[in-house]
Each structure stands twice: as C-alpha cells, then as structure tokens.
Amino acid sequence: MISGHDPAPTASLSPRSHLIQEFVETEHAYMAALAAMERCFVEVACDSCALAAALFANILELAAFERGFVRKLAAIETRHFEDGVGTLFADNELRFNVYFPFCEAFEAASAVLLANANYLRNYAHILAFHELQSYLIKPVQRLMKYPQLLNELVKHACADGRDTTLLFEGIDAIRRVTSALNETKRETENMRLKQEFLDHLVDYQACGEVACEAAHTHI
C-alpha cells in the first residue's frame, strides 16, 4: 500500500519510485486543497448561498470524489502500481465527470472572486485571498496533469520491461475525460458568444428604432 506520509529519502529512490512518490504526495496535497475550499464554501454559504455557489460550484461533490480516489490510490501496492493506477482511472472514467461543473464555472468564479475581494477577506482564517485565487484553478490543473503523469509512468514501465496494457487503458480513459471537458467548454463559449452577438443586435435595432422615431418627430 502507498501512503502520502513518511516518504523515503528522495536520493535513495529509483526514478520509477520517485515518480510514484510524487504522484501520491501531490494527490494528497490536492485533496487538502479541495478540503480547504470545501471549508470555505461552508463558511461563505452560511452568509450567502448564492455567492458560495458562484465561487465553488460543486466543490462538495468534487471533494468527496477526491477523498475516495485517494483512498483507492493508497490501496495500490507499489510493485503493481502501473496496473493499479491504470485500472483506477479506467474504472472512474464516468465519475470524473464530477469535474465538469467546477471547471466550466472557473472563469465566471474568478470574476466573482475579484468582484467580492474585500468581502471575501473575512474568510482569511480559512483561506487567504491570494490562496483562494490560486486554489480555484487547481481542479483544472490537476485534471489536465493526469495524462502527463500517466505517460511518465509508461516511460519508466517500458524501461523496466513492465506490462503497460492496463496503464494505457487508464490513459485512454482520462484523455477521453479531458477531451470531453474541452469540447464542452468550447460549446459553452460558442453559446456565450452567440448570445452576446444577439444581445448586441437587439441593442443596435433598438437604437435604430429610437433614432428613426426621433427623426420623424423633428420632420
């Protein structure tokens, strides 16, 4: 089993073991960041549910998923890490959809954060404002980091002559997830631009009608 605590001295680790340690330790750090945002969500929601939702979207579901993910990651034996982590990602492919609401809302949440900067400093005992800014993007960064981490594992597995079949299944799964998220974000952005165009068109037509009425009035 793998723990995110009490790591072996880095100098004594093989490249593969070092990568596995990095994977596990950064996953624990990421889980802690989600937990901090979860606590902040609860505090903010006590004062304003609307603000909490605008900032943190579905952080409660995302943090719960991550806790379960870390438990399963920790249960994988180091000697079978490639098989175990590949299976973990493949088995959770659909569950990774929990990332979508948070990632899709990131840009809007960042705007809300800046607009409420002074107010949110009331919650600095949980997360300082500058930390909150950097934490909001962590789910996006972590999701996009997974393919890179798994590809690094493939390199070391191939060098050691280890089977990579299950690892590639995990890579394919997380790539489908990130591709689906990117496509969803593109569709959302296209819809936003279309709506902005329609709004501007309506405003332009309204201005034209007002101008015509004013012209007729002075004839």
Side-chain angles (χ1 to χ4, degrees):
M1 295 175 63
I2 303 170
S3 171
H5 309 287
D6 302 324
T10 302
S12 66
L13 296 176
S14 67
R16 172 181 176 270
S17 297
H18 184 272
L19 180 60
I20 292 173
Q21 177 178 300
E22 177 191 358
F23 197 132
V24 174
E25 289 181 355
T26 55
E27 199 67 39
H28 276 83
Y30 171 58
M31 179 178 67
L34 293 185
M37 284 195 286
E38 188 178 28
R39 292 194 298 274
C40 197
F41 169 86
V42 172
E43 289 286 332
V44 175
C46 288
D47 300 319
S48 173
C49 289
L51 179 58
L55 282 172
F56 300 108
N58 65 327
I59 186 62
L60 299 182
E61 293 82 3
L62 183 55
F65 168 79
E66 178 62 14
R67 284 191 291 271
F69 188 81
V70 168
R71 282 196 299 270
K72 294 171 185 175
L73 182 66
I76 300 172
E77 294 184 7
T78 302
R79 60 178 176 167
H80 300 306
F81 189 77
E82 289 80 5
D83 287 349
V85 79
T87 300
L88 179 61
F89 276 87
D91 288 349
N92 283 277
E93 179 176 352
L94 294 179
R95 296 185 184 93
F96 272 107
N97 288 345
V98 72
Y99 274 82
F100 285 24
F102 195 98
C103 293
E104 290 171 16
F106 167 69
E107 291 185 6
S110 297
V112 170
L113 178 71
L114 293 176
N116 293 272
N118 290 333
Y119 177 76
L120 290 169
R121 287 188 170 88
N122 294 325
Y123 305 95
H125 60 288
I126 304 174
L127 276 177
F129 182 75
H130 69 277
E131 289 180 315
L132 186 51
Q133 284 181 299
S134 65
Y135 273 36
L136 283 177
I137 199 173
K138 284 185 181 293
V140 179
Q141 292 174 328
R142 191 62 183 175
L143 189 62
M144 297 303 172
K145 179 75 171 178
Y146 285 135
Q148 179 184 336
L149 289 170
L150 296 181
N151 278 320
E152 287 297 316
L153 281 172
V154 167
K155 293 178 183 178
H156 292 294
C158 290
D160 295 340
R162 297 174 181 272
D163 181 68
T164 57
T165 302
L166 295 177
L167 190 51
F168 271 112
E169 289 182 6
I171 291 174
D172 290 341
I174 196 62
R175 281 178 175 169
R176 285 191 292 269
V177 172
T178 56
S179 294
L181 175 60
N182 286 332
E183 181 60 30
T184 299
K185 290 176 70 176
R186 276 193 294 270
E187 291 176 357
T188 301
E189 179 63 12
N190 288 337
M191 289 177 62
R192 185 186 68 79
L193 292 174
K194 181 179 179 180
Q195 187 59 51
E196 284 186 0
F197 172 77
L198 292 175
D199 290 343
H200 286 312
L201 183 61
V202 170
D203 291 341
Y204 177 78
Q205 290 174 333
C207 288
E209 291 173 359
V210 170
C212 286
E213 290 178 2
H216 284 299
T217 301
H218 289 83
I219 292 176

